[in-house]
Amino acid sequence: MTNYHLINPNPLETALSGYITISRAHAYLKYNKKGTAQKLLHQLKYGGSKKVGLILGKWMARDLKSDLEASQIDYIVPVPLYRTRSRKRGYNQSMEIARGLSETLAIPIASEVIKRIRMYKSQAQKSRLDRLNSDQSEYKVIDKAMIEGKHILLVDDVITTGATIGAVSRELLLVGEVAKLSIACLATGK
């Protein structure tokens, strides 16, 4: 576990602060190649084990409960998948993590407020620079009224370079006009 929520300055907040404005950043596990987090994420994303996301979301919520409750979050928003990838996988791994958080914290999920409208090749094999420089205008706020002026907890499975979380965050902040944005991920390499 990272315990970043107990560290000041929080390393994930520091890493993301250069290109998105966030209130808090939470990372449950440290991502290392061939480590436990990588194995769990692989099962979640490619092994068809969506229950892994739900369980780890609940564990993360229990560990971060006091910090998340103090933040007074209005909605949990999972990072959306493009529809073909969601159909192929059968579920959105970020949604499963969000479900675990929601069930434990009693914070509603707002999964329909933002959509992924374009699909590019997977970024998993791209370099950090390529990810950050790619055209990330692939997300669109669908329901601005629901999130405008609210504190949103944006949930993703893993943050490596921050390109995906940055693209979704910018859309929520600029188009969705959320009042506050916090981030939670199952694992991070930062």
Side-chain angles (χ1 to χ4, degrees):
M1 295 184 344
T2 66
N3 289 315
Y4 283 174
H5 63 291
L6 302 174
I7 301 170
N8 191 11
N10 175 323
L12 185 57
E13 288 174 8
T14 301
L16 296 174
S17 68
Y19 50 99
I20 55 174
T21 304
I22 54 174
S23 294
R24 296 286 290 151
H26 307 280
Y28 187 54
L29 302 171
K30 186 71 173 164
Y31 182 89
N32 296 306
K33 293 266 184 197
K34 299 185 179 168
T36 302
Q38 183 191 34
K39 291 173 187 166
L40 290 168
L41 285 166
H42 192 271
Q43 283 301 308
L44 175 61
K45 288 177 87 161
Y46 309 112
S49 298
K50 71 181 188 176
K51 192 171 185 175
V52 168
L54 180 69
I55 292 168
L56 289 173
K58 288 180 179 185
W59 290 357
M60 179 168 51
R62 282 187 214 125
D63 191 53
L64 302 173
K65 189 171 183 157
S66 62
D67 197 61
L68 290 170
E69 285 178 343
S71 297
Q72 298 179 334
I73 293 163
D74 295 298
Y75 293 108
I76 297 171
V77 175
V79 168
L81 278 182
Y82 191 62
R83 64 184 173 267
T84 55
R85 181 155 297 157
S86 184
R87 274 195 304 264
K88 182 179 178 183
R89 188 170 293 153
Y91 58 92
N92 175 349
Q93 70 277 4
S94 296
M95 172 60 97
E96 297 308 312
I97 298 164
R99 281 192 179 122
L101 288 163
S102 177
E103 285 181 20
T104 304
L105 300 169
I107 300 171
I109 296 173
S111 62
E112 300 300 318
V113 299
I114 189 164
K115 295 283 184 198
R116 188 164 190 173
I117 57 171
R118 287 192 191 94
M119 180 63 200
Y120 297 107
K121 282 175 42 178
S122 171
Q123 295 201 46
Q125 302 302 319
K126 290 183 179 179
S127 72
R128 183 177 200 281
L129 185 60
D130 287 342
R131 287 183 192 200
L132 292 171
N133 286 333
S134 67
D135 177 14
Q136 293 295 328
S137 60
E138 56 198 272
Y139 300 95
K140 181 177 180 171
V141 169
I142 304 300
D143 190 349
K144 178 181 171 182
M146 184 173 191
I147 59 172
E148 188 174 3
K150 303 292 186 193
H151 186 175
I152 301 299
L153 177 65
L154 181 61
V155 176
D156 204 1
D157 57 347
V158 63
I159 296 176
T160 50
T161 65
T164 299
I165 208 81
V168 178
S169 296
R170 283 188 293 277
E171 186 73 11
L172 289 169
L173 288 164
L174 298 175
V175 178
E177 296 181 14
V178 300
K180 288 184 181 179
L181 183 68
S182 292
I183 306 292
C185 65
L186 193 55
T188 185
K190 297 199 175 291

